Amino acid sequence: MNPQYKQTVGGAIFEFVQSFVQGYAPKVTGMLIDLPVPEIQKYMVNFDLFQQRVSQATQLLEQQAIVAQ
């Protein structure tokens, strides 16, 4: 296992995440690379799953923002 794997994935997906959710892109990217490696591997080869994970992370951040108000 490459110790830089999650950082490499983060660099690879950041622009895609940013195209979906500009304001939350750094946080969403961080959430996605914190997932277990097998889950990362799944969304890296399945764009629909990747979009679902981005959407789920964004919804979670938006819910947290509402609760914090």
Side-chain angles (χ1 to χ4, degrees), residues 11-64:
I13 68 171
F14 181 76
E15 287 186 36
F16 289 107
V17 172
Q18 193 171 30
S19 70
F20 295 124
V21 289
Q22 295 179 4
Y24 291 122
K27 289 185 180 193
V28 169
T29 301
M31 292 168 74
L32 293 177
I33 64 173
D34 280 343
L35 291 171
V37 171
E39 184 66 24
I40 293 171
Q41 291 170 335
K42 287 179 187 175
Y43 73 67
M44 287 297 291
V45 296
N46 183 331
F47 192 69
D48 290 333
L49 181 59
F50 173 73
Q51 288 178 307
Q52 289 174 2
R53 295 295 177 253
V54 170
S55 178
Q56 290 170 346
T58 303
Q59 288 173 0
L60 180 62
L61 289 170
E62 288 172 348
Q63 288 172 354
Q64 289 176 346

